[in-house]
Amino acid sequence: MMQTARIRPYAAGAVLRNIKFTKESYDSFIGLQDKLHQNLARQRSLVAIGTHDLDTIQGPFSYEALPPEQIEFAPLNQTRSMTALEMMEFYE
């Protein structure tokens, strides 16, 4: 945990219920998330926002600082798991 505290000392979460995305609303939501990452989060150096479908994930969850090649999950609206490095290339 000490490694994580040095990189990002705070974590926050929210659960939104009864949200149904259309293609248009999903694209808009992801666009907003990206704008927050690029501007307020200073290209993700201050904050990283993750959006996950709670119906497809299962705890326990942990908040850890890991090398990108050790981080792996299926991004929202994707069917296969990817490492953080693969995600950066995929979304580039």
Side-chain angles (χ1 to χ4, degrees):
M1 274 306 202
M2 291 304 292
Q3 293 168 312
T4 304
R6 283 193 294 252
I7 297 168
R8 292 227 174 93
Y10 305 104
V15 175
L16 306 177
R17 299 195 186 279
N18 302 317
I19 302 293
K20 301 286 186 221
F21 281 122
T22 63
K23 170 84 169 107
E24 183 178 278
S25 64
Y26 174 78
D27 289 346
S28 177
F29 177 80
I30 294 300
L32 173 60
Q33 182 174 302
D34 190 52
K35 285 179 183 169
L36 290 170
H37 274 136
Q38 297 306 315
N39 297 310
L40 294 176
R42 296 186 191 157
Q43 284 73 39
R44 292 190 168 110
S45 66
L46 297 177
V47 175
I49 302 168
T51 304
H52 307 280
D53 182 348
L54 284 179
D55 291 334
T56 64
I57 59 175
Q58 179 178 328
F61 305 109
S62 63
Y63 182 65
E64 303 171 71
L66 297 172
E69 61 274 4
Q70 291 182 20
I71 300 169
E72 185 173 334
F73 59 91
L76 191 62
N77 278 357
Q78 298 300 316
T79 56
R80 77 173 183 92
S81 288
M82 301 179 207
T83 67
L85 294 173
E86 290 172 319
M87 281 182 243
M88 295 305 281
E89 290 176 12
F90 182 79
Y91 289 109
E92 199 169 71

